[in-house]
Amino acid sequence: MTVVDRFLKYVKFDTESSTETGVTPSTPGQMVLAKELEKELREMGLEDISLDDKGYIMATLPANTDKKVPAIGFVAHMDTSPDLTGNNVNPRIVKNYDGKDIPLNNEFTLSPGDFPEMLDYIGQDLIVTDGNTLLGADDKAGIAEILTAIQYLKDHPEIKHGKIRIGFTPDEEIGAGADYFDVEKFGCEWAYTMDGGPIGELEYENFNAAGVKINIQGRSVHPGYAKDKMVNALVVANKLISLLPANERPEHTAHYEGFFHLTNVSGTTDAATVGYIIRDHNRELFENRKKLMKETIDYINQLYPNSTVVEIKDQYYNMREKVEPVMHVVDLAFEAMTMAGVTPIVKPIRGGTDGARLSFMGLPCPNIFAGGHNFHGRYEFVPIQSMEKAVQVIVKIAELAANK
Ligand SMILES: [Zn+2]
């Protein structure tokens, strides 16, 4: 099977994850795909194949050299984003793209006017949606690429490599993909998630992240008799929001700039809740942001005594801290891309990845492009040539790791 055959097959499985169910995998469709992948791994003749009851798949392509070579892994996720349905995905291949608008259906058009990156792919073949669903290149392109590369290595025993491990996870899109990942069982010195965007992406820096929950208790009094008595929780919330730096919001920041992002406000005169997420690549600035949040709440409590409590929870950290001491892991991927004729684009992720959490669990895990664009929506597309390059990059990494 080619990488395209595999991809077109996997996107037909509805594996949309859900934040609502509280179980792992969060939706039964993910287990259906997992079982199909397990079957394929057996047919490919891989070893140590396991599928656990949480939906985690692992398998081994054994080393074909006597040289002492580190075991390395490739990781991708099976679920798709809950942001748009992944049910009944009908992919279409636009061959030899001419740089014009691509009508997806009667209502929606994929246009280089909206997405100028499309023009980078003139003459290539794009896989697009029918406008009703997302595509699922995030991250079924990654799964297809890994398995195609593994098959290639099996078919070309003249390419010497060490032990290669494969890991497919559920529930990445709801931030739970690393929750039950057994790093010890995986048994690799390092790994790569094949979960990046456009061709060339190579990432080993992501945000430090915290979630903030603020509860405000007001004092509700009949408005006609409220003078010097009422404390309106909504007014307190508004005051609090106005005190945080207005230019340090997602819509005003880029690159290495962190932010405070207001995610929800709800309430009545009596009580209100406010939610934030705090993000920063730099750990010290991240800690300072959390401190500023606490100081702001202290100040609010001076203005409105005993009104407000805050809970700040760290969510994940920048993997750079764990990857920098083993920088050869990134250098190897960089070299593999160059050898495959791909220009590496190294940039910080303005978000998190499963690889970040895996890195802190003891498995350094940078992120490599899977090739897609416009993830999580109907405008998602993936150039076939980018997927083919990703396959080559995986093969080259396996080869280079055995030659170092
Ligand atoms: Zn993804």
Side-chain angles (χ1 to χ4, degrees):
M1 271 200 286
T2 66
V3 68
V4 176
D5 295 336
R6 287 186 189 279
F7 178 71
L8 295 178
K9 176 178 172 186
Y10 305 149
V11 298
K12 285 283 176 191
F13 289 78
D14 179 0
T15 59
E16 178 180 341
S17 49
S18 163
T19 53
E20 307 295 319
T21 59
V23 293
T24 308
S26 65
T27 48
Q30 297 183 61
M31 198 51 121
V32 177
L33 176 58
K35 286 194 170 137
E36 178 60 30
L37 291 170
E38 185 197 24
K39 200 179 107 206
E40 281 188 19
L41 294 168
R42 289 196 194 290
E43 285 164 5
M44 288 169 72
L46 298 187
E47 296 181 8
D48 301 325
I49 300 164
S50 62
L51 166 58
D52 67 21
D53 59 350
K54 307 274 187 210
Y56 287 75
I57 301 181
M58 291 183 184
T60 300
L61 176 69
N64 64 358
T65 168
D66 295 332
K67 253 173 83 178
K68 234 187 120 29
V69 178
I72 63 170
F74 294 93
V75 176
H77 64 89
M78 295 178 286
D79 64 316
T80 61
S81 168
D83 289 352
L84 187 66
T85 181
N87 186 25
N88 196 19
V89 173
N90 285 305
R92 180 163 67 94
I93 299 178
V94 178
K95 288 225 162 115
N96 193 8
Y97 175 55
D98 59 6
K100 300 200 178 109
D101 284 4
I102 302 174
L104 300 174
N105 56 22
N106 292 335
E107 207 179 336
F108 297 105
T109 298
L110 179 61
S111 166
D114 301 324
F115 306 107
E117 316 79 51
M118 289 170 71
L119 299 175
D120 296 341
Y121 301 103
I122 290 175
Q124 297 194 24
D125 307 314
L126 310 184
I127 306 182
V128 303
T129 73
D130 68 1
N132 295 317
T133 67
L134 49 65
L135 179 62
D138 177 13
D139 185 22
K140 287 162 182 168
I143 296 176
E145 289 154 5
I146 291 168
L147 290 180
T148 308
I150 295 292
Q151 186 65 53
Y152 185 88
L153 287 168
K154 261 193 113 359
D155 295 343
H156 292 81
E158 72 278 10
I159 302 173
K160 298 298 170 201
H161 58 81
K163 177 174 167 179
I164 313 279
R165 289 281 274 160
I166 299 170
F168 296 144
T169 70
D171 291 334
E172 191 272 350
E173 298 291 358
I174 58 167
D179 282 9
Y180 299 100
F181 193 99
D182 190 338
V183 167
E184 203 176 319
K185 179 174 153 192
F186 200 52
C188 291
E189 242 173 81
W190 72 86
Y192 303 92
T193 47
M194 297 300 298
D195 192 20
I199 185 164
E201 274 190 10
L202 172 57
E203 301 158 327
Y204 67 96
E205 295 181 77
N206 57 281
F207 275 144
N208 296 292
V212 181
K213 260 190 204 164
I214 300 160
N215 285 308
I216 301 166
Q217 182 59 58
R219 192 191 300 131
S220 184
V221 179
H222 184 295
Y225 302 86
K227 185 157 168 48
D228 299 329
K229 293 190 180 70
M230 178 192 279
V231 177
N232 186 337
L234 293 170
V235 171
V236 178
N238 186 48
K239 178 73 187 173
L240 162 68
I241 293 162
S242 72
L243 287 169
L244 290 164
N247 54 350
E248 295 176 23
R249 294 177 185 156
E251 63 270 40
H252 301 305
T253 51
H255 311 296
Y256 283 106
E257 293 161 344
F259 57 70
F260 299 90
H261 174 41
L262 175 64
T263 53
N264 67 76
V265 184
S266 66
T268 59
T269 306
D270 180 59
T273 59
V274 178
Y276 270 93
I277 58 172
I278 295 176
R279 299 290 186 262
D280 209 299
H281 289 101
N282 181 297
R283 186 65 184 262
E284 200 185 324
L285 297 178
F286 173 66
E287 298 300 330
N288 288 345
R289 284 184 190 282
K290 291 193 289 182
K291 204 164 143 252
L292 178 61
M293 179 61 82
K294 282 183 196 145
E295 286 166 359
T296 305
I297 301 295
D298 287 346
Y299 179 65
I300 287 288
N301 276 321
Q302 282 175 28
L303 298 178
Y304 308 98
N306 301 318
S307 63
T308 305
V309 288
V310 63
E311 188 191 347
I312 303 179
K313 260 196 195 151
D314 287 2
Q315 295 165 317
Y316 53 83
Y317 302 107
N318 187 347
M319 74 165 107
R320 179 175 179 162
E321 193 180 320
K322 297 292 170 188
V323 174
E324 224 157 30
V326 288
M327 204 52 191
H328 60 93
V329 168
V330 176
D331 296 341
L332 190 83
F334 195 99
E335 195 182 334
M337 282 192 199
T338 311
M339 286 173 72
V342 174
T343 308
I345 305 163
V346 183
K347 62 178 176 65
I349 307 172
R350 291 182 63 77
T353 72
D354 272 0
R357 288 190 49 216
L358 293 175
S359 295
F360 281 86
M361 287 159 72
L363 180 70
C365 197
N367 189 34
I368 291 176
F369 71 93
H373 283 256
N374 305 338
F375 288 166
H376 301 188
R378 65 185 88 248
Y379 300 107
E380 193 182 1
F381 72 93
V382 62
I384 289 175
Q385 285 76 3
S386 294
M387 286 201 289
E388 288 169 349
K389 283 293 183 190
V391 173
Q392 288 179 32
V393 169
I394 296 168
V395 170
K396 286 290 171 205
I397 287 174
E399 194 179 345
L400 283 173
N403 286 333
K404 295 278 159 182

